[in-house]
């Protein structure tokens, strides 16, 4: 006569029974440090937007930490840095700009330029470089219309990149299997 095998009561990975209490599960990423984002912007914006460090102080307002914390944790998403031209007090005065961090764009004739920082993943990971986690898209402004800017981005940036990808796939080169 054979005896049926009786499996032991299932346990979770730390050896406790499922009904023994709550088990703390670690979060996938540690909390994001806003100072990392601030340092990243201070390095990125002067050469990309032609910003002086003094002009960037307007970007780091009272709401900066809250906006960055929300952006870093929300799934997907984008945040914009908007360069806005200030009214000059005279024709001889050099142009002055101030900067704003925004989760949504609004159009204004004073917008000189906008930079979209687009997250590639669900949340920002403070242990990985931000350069690997963000797409950067320069949304021109000033004298160009949004149509001209969009045409330039698509025809001179996205189209050649996509054509190269499709060409590589057609010639049998290793490439992304998604399409």
């Amino acid at each position: 006569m054979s005896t049926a095998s009786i499996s032991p009561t299932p346990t979770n990975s730390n050896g406790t029974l499922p009904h023994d209490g709550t088990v703390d599960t670690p979060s996938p990423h540690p909390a994001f440090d806003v100072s990392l984002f601030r340092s990243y912007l201070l390095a990125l914006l002067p050469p990309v937007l032609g910003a002086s460090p003094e002009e960037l102080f307007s970007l780091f307002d009272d709401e900066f930490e809250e906006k960055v914390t929300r952006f870093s944790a929300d799934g997907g998403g984008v945040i914009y840095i908007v360069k806005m031209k200030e009214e000059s007090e005279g024709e001889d005065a050099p142009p002055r700009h101030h900067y704003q961090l925004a989760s949504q764009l609004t159009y204004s004739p004073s917008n000189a330029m906008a930079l979209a920082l687009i997250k590639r993943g669900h949340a920002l990971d403070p242990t990985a470089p931000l350069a690997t986690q963000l797409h950067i898209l320069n949304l021109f402004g000033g004298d160009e219309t949004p149509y001209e800017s969009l045409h330039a981005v698509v025809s001179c940036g996205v189209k050649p990149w996509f054509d190269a990808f499709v060409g590589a796939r057609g010639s049998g080169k290793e490439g992304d299997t998604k399409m």
Side-chain angles (χ1 to χ4, degrees), residues 18-166:
H19 56 76
D20 284 349
T22 60
V23 176
D24 292 333
T25 56
S27 63
H29 299 291
F32 187 76
D33 183 1
V34 174
S35 68
L36 294 173
F37 198 76
R38 180 186 174 105
S39 297
Y40 178 74
L41 293 180
L42 286 170
L44 174 73
L45 297 180
V48 173
L49 295 180
S52 71
E54 296 80 28
E55 288 177 326
L56 289 177
F57 286 123
S58 62
L59 184 63
F60 307 112
D61 61 12
D62 294 339
E63 297 175 356
F64 178 80
E65 188 169 332
E66 177 187 337
K67 288 177 183 178
V68 172
T69 300
R70 193 172 346 144
F71 169 67
S72 69
D74 288 348
V78 62
I79 199 161
Y80 304 95
I81 291 97
V82 182
K83 180 179 184 176
M84 301 167 73
K85 188 174 182 178
E86 294 179 357
E87 293 295 323
S88 59
E89 296 183 13
E91 285 186 31
D92 297 341
R96 294 180 37 90
H97 298 92
H98 70 277
Y99 295 82
Q100 180 181 19
L101 192 66
S103 56
Q104 294 183 358
L105 281 179
T106 55
Y107 180 77
S108 168
S110 65
N111 289 2
M113 191 178 293
L115 196 66
L117 301 177
I118 306 164
K119 282 195 302 188
R120 298 178 75 176
H122 179 71
L124 294 179
D125 180 357
T127 62
L130 286 173
T132 64
Q133 300 181 72
L134 297 171
H135 287 288
I136 300 169
L137 180 59
N138 189 336
L139 303 170
F140 309 100
D143 296 334
E144 282 189 341
T145 68
Y147 301 111
E148 292 167 327
S149 295
L150 179 61
H151 182 267
V153 167
V154 171
S155 65
C156 298
V158 176
K159 183 184 179 306
W161 172 73
F162 187 75
D163 288 347
F165 171 75
V166 171

Side-chain angles (χ1 to χ4, degrees), residues 8-12 14-23:
T9 305
T11 60
N12 62 18
N14 68 358
T16 61
L17 296 173
H19 56 76
D20 284 349
T22 60
V23 176

